[in-house]
Amino acid sequence: MEVRIPDVIDVHTPSPARMYDYWLGGKDNFAADREAAEKVIAAHPEQRKLVRANRDFLVRVVRHLAEQGIEQFLDLGTGIPTSPNVHEVAREIRPAARVVYVDNDPIVFAHNQAFRATDDRIATVQADIRRPREILGDPAVERLLDFDRPIGLLAIAVLHFVPEAEEVIGTLRETMAPGSFLALSTGTYEGLTLEQRERIENAYAKSSAPAVIRSRVEIERLFTGFDLVEPGLVHVARWRSDGPETKGRLLAGLGRLRTSSPAG
């Protein structure tokens, strides 16, 4: 299906979703996105490898969740679609899987919205994940996702753009049934020099979502109320894989919601 790109787009402000698209070799990006993306590469030459490792993690973790019986997914900060998408991976194992994709970038929304025309078990929501209650109240979310049953919450390479990540995950956690899962990957300054960290943060400083790089302890706190699944919180290339680690760091993990979840 042809994707209709919105008429009004800020092509002068770098978008993390479009920078990510550039690193993956996509064409849905503009000069400002490419300039910012190249600044990150200058600070971290293995950025493209890291992004590919992150995509591979997404595929592995969704497949694992489907094998555990999860057939409904809420994908936060989904980015511009790159095959295989979440619904494609999940449906290899769970043919009836339902997915809601959430992003605030209008180009991402336009691409994801194309799915809706042909599949009533896929929906896309244009929303800011920093306002999770608005997401939960969206008609598409209410129609497709049953929060009385386990759900797979995906936050893949997005929380390092969300200063309020603990509050966001906490709000969503309160609505999730025991046995639900949280899968995330997010940036850490482990393994980065101070200069590399500053250069990466500066590259994102003028984007629509400045970067927030966290320590391992801060990332572990995002899993409050969840029990980490083996192998725990590891480099994104090493989660149930023997892929090579890059010097830049994305830590990845999967947590299963406990029967009784603390409030925070």
Side-chain angles (χ1 to χ4, degrees), residues 45-189:
E46 294 183 292
Q47 181 69 12
R48 291 186 189 274
K49 291 181 181 179
L50 184 62
V51 167
R52 175 51 60 187
N54 186 66
R55 281 293 308 176
D56 293 342
F57 164 69
L58 172 63
V59 171
R60 291 195 304 275
V61 78
V62 170
R63 184 173 292 125
H64 175 77
L65 290 176
E67 290 171 348
Q68 299 304 304
I70 299 298
E71 58 181 11
Q72 50 178 357
F73 297 84
L74 180 60
D75 186 3
L76 303 178
T78 177
I80 294 170
T82 302
S83 187
N85 293 287
V86 171
H87 66 280
E88 293 171 328
V89 176
R91 287 178 181 175
E92 292 175 3
I93 299 165
R94 301 287 166 186
R98 303 184 303 281
V99 180
V100 175
Y101 295 101
V102 180
D103 206 292
N104 65 348
D105 188 289
I107 289 184
V108 173
F109 179 72
H111 280 282
N112 282 335
Q113 198 173 33
F115 294 135
R116 182 182 293 177
T118 58
D119 195 324
D120 61 6
R121 289 173 293 146
I122 297 173
T124 180
V125 174
Q126 186 173 10
D128 188 332
I129 68 173
R130 292 172 296 181
R131 295 191 285 272
R133 296 193 186 281
E134 292 182 15
I135 295 172
L136 293 171
D138 188 277
V141 174
E142 293 180 338
R143 176 177 65 85
L144 277 182
L145 303 182
D146 179 2
F147 284 88
D148 291 329
R149 298 174 54 242
I151 189 171
L153 176 61
L154 309 176
I156 309 301
V158 66
L159 296 181
H160 44 245
F161 303 117
V162 183
E164 315 89 338
E166 284 190 64
E167 292 82 359
V168 169
I169 296 300
T171 297
L172 294 170
R173 183 186 64 226
E174 292 172 0
T175 72
M176 295 162 65
S180 293
F181 289 88
L182 165 64
L184 68 80
S185 62
T186 193
T188 178
Y189 51 73

Side-chain angles (χ1 to χ4, degrees), residues 22-38:
Y22 174 73
W23 289 322
L24 286 174
K27 300 182 183 302
D28 293 297
N29 49 74
F30 301 103
D33 307 309
R34 296 188 287 272
E35 181 181 352
E38 285 293 342

